[in-house]
């Protein structure tokens, strides 16, 4: 890290040093906001779009200042939209493209939890994927309030989280991660 100057903030936000992986600050800020009970209970969280103008302003603030203040944001859908747009626009492969991704997709199709877990264990972005998946599971745990199911969540967030995959594959992969979160990430901090 450095002081978070403009060049650093606009460089690859998900760039990783070999020594240590750090979950992107924007992701941590959004997750902290969305883990609050009021947000988790918000109907249609991740399905209902937030205010696009506010999302753009927050993204610009993050790029310019290296951080974003969500304390004055009242709309959970806007913060959820910011998080979705971050992953969609980054086009970063949370699961490495190529053999690892192909193996994971095939393992999901054959319900092979052990193989999916072994692929995830090799991913440098596993901590971020775990944080997001854990948040989405909490949203699903509040489904009686927010009316979100694993299918609606996968459809709403899958293509943003895995923008390099066909939508149906992204949805299937995310739904599997949600339904097997505790097994897949049991040893992740």
């Amino acid at each position: 890290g450095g002081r978070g100057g403009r060049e650093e903030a606009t460089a690859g936000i998900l760039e990783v040093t070999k020594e240590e992986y750090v979950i992107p600050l924007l992701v941590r800020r959004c997750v902290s906001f969305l883990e609050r009970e009021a947000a988790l209970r918000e109907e249609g969280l991740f399905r209902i779009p937030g205010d696009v103008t506010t999302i753009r302003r927050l993204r610009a603030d993050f790029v310019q200042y290296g951080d974003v203040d969500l304390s004055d944001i009242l709309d959970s859908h806007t913060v959820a939209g910011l998080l979705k747009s971050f992953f969609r626009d980054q086009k970063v492969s949370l699961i490495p493209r190529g053999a690892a991704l192909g193996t994971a997709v095939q393992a999901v199709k054959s319900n092979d939890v052990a193989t999916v877990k072994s692929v995830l264990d090799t991913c440098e972005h596993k901590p971020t994927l775990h944080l997001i998946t854990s948040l989405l599971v909490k949203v699903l745990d509040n489904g009686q309030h927010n009316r979100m199911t694993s299918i609606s969540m996968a459809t709403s967030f899958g293509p943003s989280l895995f923008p390099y995959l066909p939508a149906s594959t992204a949805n299937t992969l995310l739904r599997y991660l949600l339904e097997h979160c505790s097994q897949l990430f049991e040893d992740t901090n």
Side-chain angles (χ1 to χ4, degrees):
R3 289 206 246 3
R6 182 180 287 249
E7 294 96 30
E8 209 171 279
T10 57
I13 295 173
L14 284 178
E15 283 182 10
V16 175
T17 62
K18 289 209 187 316
E19 297 82 43
E20 160 181 347
Y21 178 84
V22 178
I23 295 171
L25 184 59
L26 179 70
V27 173
R28 287 183 291 155
R29 294 272 189 254
C30 290
V31 169
S32 292
F33 182 98
L34 295 168
E35 281 182 329
R36 296 173 309 131
E37 185 177 355
L40 290 172
R41 291 171 170 243
E42 187 73 36
E43 186 170 336
L45 191 63
F46 290 108
R47 181 175 46 78
I48 296 173
D51 181 67
V52 176
T53 305
T54 305
I55 292 169
R56 284 191 187 125
R57 178 181 56 81
L58 291 168
R59 285 294 301 273
D61 286 354
F62 184 77
V63 169
Q64 184 173 355
Y65 305 114
D67 199 357
V68 63
D69 179 13
L70 300 176
S71 62
D72 64 335
I73 304 298
L74 301 175
D75 179 26
S76 300
H77 299 293
T78 296
V79 177
L82 175 63
L83 188 59
K84 284 171 62 173
S85 75
F86 174 80
F87 287 107
R88 185 175 54 246
D89 297 346
Q90 285 300 304
K91 299 251 191 291
V92 167
S93 185
L94 291 174
I95 300 175
R97 294 181 212 181
L101 185 59
T103 300
V105 169
Q106 285 306 317
V108 164
K109 288 179 181 172
S110 61
N111 193 25
D112 182 354
V113 176
T115 299
V116 175
K117 183 176 178 355
S118 70
V119 169
L120 294 179
D121 287 344
T122 68
C123 296
E124 65 183 351
H125 297 300
K126 183 180 181 188
T128 298
L129 192 56
H130 179 229
L131 184 66
I132 294 300
T133 306
S134 297
L135 169 65
L136 300 181
V137 167
K138 289 175 187 173
V139 173
L140 295 178
D141 288 345
N142 284 274
Q144 73 276 18
H145 301 288
N146 61 40
R147 299 175 186 241
M148 291 298 287
T149 64
S150 63
I151 294 171
S152 60
M153 181 62 74
T155 303
S156 299
F157 205 96
S160 296
L161 204 54
F162 305 111
Y164 44 85
L165 287 174
S168 62
T169 305
N171 298 351
T172 301
L173 179 56
L174 180 55
R175 188 170 178 206
Y176 194 85
L177 296 178
L178 295 173
E179 292 173 354
H180 298 87
C181 183
S182 60
Q183 298 158 281
L184 295 171
F185 297 103
E186 63 190 353
D187 54 359
T188 306
N189 294 331

